[in-house]
Amino acid sequence: MKIIVCDNYKDMSEKAFLIFKDALRDSRSLGFATGKTPVMLYGMLSSECASGRISFSDKVSFNLDEYYPISRSDPSSYGHYMEEHLFRNIDIGRESIFFPNSELSGENSVRLYADAYRSRGPIDLQVLGIGHNGHIGFNEPGSGRDSTIRLVSLSGDTIRRNNARANMAITMGIREIMDSGRIILLASGEEKSEAIRLAVHGGITSDVPASFLQEHSNCVFVIDKAAASKL
Ligand code: GLP
């Protein structure tokens, strides 16, 4: 894995933007993360698309995860977040946006999302954030290397930190993430430094799901100084 240490959040977002933009040309299927970390990156992609310098019209997108159960219109859903920060600002076709439908039964939602992924995946270009406990997507500690799209229970820590309205989620598994052609992981702030240290220098273990990325052949960590402070 390659590590790029940036001065601050803005610098991290700009560097990630340039890497994403460059990789976009050869990528058809995109994987998006939510959370506060990629907000500025999504803003930059929105502006770039508005000015006609990039286009998403021939892309398909998958999101990493969604709370469960949650209504699509709930402002705290990840579906709502993606609309706000990216989808409504870019020229991607509505029918090309794939998201877990958390209004269905868990079983149906997982089946439909897995079917959509099977016919259009794997992901060419995946954006990732990282949780304080080393989670990626909602693959909490304990998630195995072979885990796939599924319904999961969130840890008490994640529910508290995310102010989550649901205690479950549907997430891409470690396997789908690892099958991505290229991965850009973003992290900002001192509170992510321990998770970054363990992901980069710790053993490869399901206790720190992000540590599996050490085995990915095209993964870059774009992180600010504070997140890199324990490396
Ligand atoms: C959530 C999401 C993750 C995200 C993480 C970090 O738990 N499921 O995909 O990477 O939060 O969020 P933030 O960027 O807000 O720190």
Side-chain angles (χ1 to χ4, degrees):
M1 101 200 345
K2 188 174 158 192
I3 298 168
I4 300 178
V5 179
C6 310
D7 287 340
N8 49 41
Y9 176 73
K10 183 162 179 276
D11 186 32
M12 175 203 78
S13 306
E14 280 163 355
K15 295 217 162 68
F17 167 69
L18 293 176
I19 296 169
F20 187 99
K21 193 176 136 178
D22 187 53
L24 188 63
R25 260 177 268 132
D26 308 321
S27 306
R28 194 189 55 85
S29 51
L30 309 174
F32 290 114
T34 47
K36 57 186 181 325
T37 315
V39 167
M40 192 180 279
L41 165 65
Y42 294 161
M44 291 173 178
L45 293 174
S46 299
S47 308
E48 196 73 353
C49 187
S51 65
R53 285 190 289 267
I54 55 172
S55 172
F56 294 83
S57 61
D58 59 345
K59 314 295 181 195
V60 296
S61 85
F62 283 87
N63 259 79
L64 272 175
D65 47 20
E66 177 60 283
Y67 290 114
Y68 184 88
I70 202 160
S71 132
R72 270 228 140 100
S73 54
D74 191 316
S76 53
S77 72
Y78 285 163
H80 188 268
Y81 168 105
M82 288 305 297
E83 274 304 318
E84 285 283 304
H85 293 291
L86 191 66
F87 294 149
R88 71 175 185 188
N89 309 322
I90 61 174
D91 59 351
I92 191 164
R94 304 307 302 181
E95 69 294 346
S96 303
I97 297 172
F98 294 92
F99 229 94
N101 183 341
S102 287
E103 295 178 357
L104 304 176
S105 72
E107 198 186 316
N108 280 338
S109 175
V110 166
R111 186 174 46 75
L112 283 177
Y113 203 46
D115 285 350
Y117 175 83
R118 242 191 313 278
S119 53
R120 295 167 186 89
I123 308 285
D124 297 319
L125 177 59
Q126 175 69 57
V127 175
L128 285 183
I130 185 168
H132 296 76
N133 58 7
H135 74 223
I136 45 178
F138 269 134
N139 293 284
E140 294 276 39
S143 302
R145 171 71 178 77
D146 288 330
S147 58
T148 54
I149 295 170
R150 66 201 187 287
L151 185 63
V152 294
S153 296
L154 301 178
S155 70
D157 181 55
T158 297
I159 294 171
R160 255 190 323 279
R161 284 181 186 275
N162 289 17
N163 234 333
R165 295 261 301 274
N167 57 8
M168 298 184 90
I170 292 168
T171 185
M172 292 267 178
I174 300 291
R175 191 192 291 172
E176 287 93 7
I177 294 173
M178 291 297 285
D179 283 346
S180 306
R182 186 167 185 165
I183 296 176
I184 307 171
L185 181 142
L186 306 181
S188 170
E190 206 275 326
E191 74 266 22
K192 296 291 174 70
S193 59
E194 183 61 9
I196 290 292
R197 183 184 74 78
L198 291 170
V200 174
H201 291 315
I204 298 175
T205 164
S206 60
D207 293 343
V208 183
S211 66
F212 289 117
L213 299 171
Q214 291 175 30
E215 291 185 331
H216 194 279
S217 58
N218 196 348
C219 175
V220 58
F221 277 33
V222 185
I223 60 180
D224 68 11
K225 273 189 204 148
S229 58
K230 291 191 178 157
L231 293 183

